[in-house]
């Protein structure tokens, strides 16, 4: 009973936010945060496009048991008894960001990969030079995140946006750090982790570097992505093929 009261209280607190959300008032940061939670917790059943459950398609705004944001919040937090949908281990604010992401999926509409995955693989390994930074199933470089399972977690529209507008959304795992040591040496690489005293990064030679912050003159996260835009590097059919290949990557068999 106490848990039920807590949920009802939470929904009451979030109701005003939910009403704003239905009017398109969710902030980009809320949508981005909700996307990360969705990809980490929901894609296993619902899929990256939100169409993995019968009669449900988030990209098309089809919710079998929900008509309002409050309904979605309730389902995310309490689950659906008698179904595979479990209660979510989320705070109220986290649940609200997931709703923001679901609404953004519906607003953006669904998108299917229309390109040829086989041709896209040839572009990935050849003209696109993607293996100079990324690896698939262990083949390629570690300078950027591995893409073996990208199709299982990223929507087609998100993959395409990353290829043509890499600076539009720089995800945490893609952050690049620039550090300058006290003797003036500059080190740039993909940030793997940091704590109060150290930075851990993968440099341009794919070497793991552990830097003591006390030995640095300065360090900063770069606001631009090292990934090039393929807008003018690939034709429209080639871009579609590359997206098709990346969308097909869902892990090793």
């Amino acid at each position: 009973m106490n848990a039920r009261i807590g949920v009802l209280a939470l929904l009451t607190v979030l109701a005003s936010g939910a009403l704003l959300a239905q009017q398109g008032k969710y902030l980009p940061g809320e949508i981005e945060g909700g996307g990360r939670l969705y990809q980490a917790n929901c894609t296993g059943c619902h899929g990256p496009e939100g169409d993995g459950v019968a009669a449900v398609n988030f990209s098309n705004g089809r919710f079998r048991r929900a008509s309002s944001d409050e309904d979605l919040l309730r389902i995310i937090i309490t689950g659906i008894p008698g179904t595979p949908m479990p209660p979510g281990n989320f705070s109220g604010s986290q649940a609200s960001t997931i709703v923001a992401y679901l609404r953004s999926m519906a607003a953006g509409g669904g998108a299917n990969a229309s390109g040829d995955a086989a041709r896209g693989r040839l572009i990935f390994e050849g003209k696109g030079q993607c293996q100079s930074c990324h690896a698939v199933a262990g083949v390629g470089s570690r300078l950027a995140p591995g893409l073996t399972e990208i199709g299982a977690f990223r929507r087609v529209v998100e993959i395409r946006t990353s290829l043509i507008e890499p600076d539009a959304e720089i995800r945490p795992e893609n952050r690049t750090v620039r550090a300058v040591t006290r003797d003036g040496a500059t080190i740039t690489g993909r940030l793997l982790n940091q704590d109060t005293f150290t930075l851990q990064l993968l440099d341009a030679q794919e070497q793991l570097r552990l830097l003591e912050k006390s030995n640095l003159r300065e360090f900063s996260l770069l606001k631009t992505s090292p990934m090039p835009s393929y807008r003018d590097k690939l034709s429209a059919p080639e871009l579609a093929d590359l997206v098709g290949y990346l969308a097909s990557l869902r892990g090793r068999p």
Side-chain angles (χ1 to χ4, degrees), residues 39-40 43-44 47-48 124 134-138 145-155 158-159 171 173 245-253:
Q39 289 150 18
T43 54
F124 182 91
H134 298 278
V136 172
L147 301 178
T148 305
E149 300 179 331
I150 187 173
F153 297 100
R154 301 297 302 278
R155 300 177 63 204
E158 293 168 340
I159 293 173
R171 298 168 66 82
E173 63 268 29
Y245 171 62
L246 294 173
S248 74
L249 298 176
R250 295 174 178 263
R252 293 183 176 89

Side-chain angles (χ1 to χ4, degrees), residues 94-250:
Q94 288 175 324
S96 184
T97 63
I98 295 174
V99 173
Y101 181 68
L102 297 181
R103 291 304 188 189
S104 76
M105 290 174 71
N112 295 318
S114 58
D116 182 275
R119 291 197 302 262
R121 179 176 180 174
L122 295 177
I123 294 170
F124 182 91
E125 297 174 351
K127 181 177 180 179
Q129 298 183 319
C130 305
Q131 286 180 317
S132 63
C133 292
H134 298 278
V136 172
V139 179
S141 171
R142 298 183 300 159
L143 290 177
L147 301 178
T148 305
E149 300 179 331
I150 187 173
F153 297 100
R154 301 297 302 278
R155 300 177 63 204
V156 168
V157 66
E158 293 168 340
I159 293 173
R160 186 177 188 280
T161 297
S162 294
L163 290 172
I164 62 176
E165 297 181 66
D167 293 337
E169 178 191 358
I170 302 178
R171 298 168 66 82
E173 63 268 29
N174 296 341
R175 293 175 298 181
T176 299
V177 64
R178 177 181 181 273
V180 180
T181 64
R182 290 192 179 277
D183 59 8
T186 299
I187 303 170
T188 303
R190 179 160 66 97
L191 180 63
L192 301 178
N193 195 19
Q194 69 169 313
D195 54 35
T196 304
F197 305 104
T198 64
L199 291 173
Q200 299 96 50
L201 58 87
L202 198 68
D203 68 15
Q205 286 71 48
E206 297 189 41
Q207 297 298 311
L208 181 63
R209 303 290 293 270
L210 177 63
L211 306 179
E212 299 284 346
K213 290 183 178 179
S214 61
N215 294 330
L216 299 179
R217 181 187 302 171
E218 63 178 274
F219 65 91
S220 60
L221 292 175
L222 301 184
K223 296 182 179 180
T224 57
S225 171
M227 179 172 167
S229 170
Y230 286 90
R231 185 188 301 275
D232 299 320
K233 297 179 183 298
L234 298 177
S235 66
E238 289 173 331
L239 183 61
D241 290 341
L242 181 56
V243 171
Y245 171 62
L246 294 173
S248 74
L249 298 176
R250 295 174 178 263

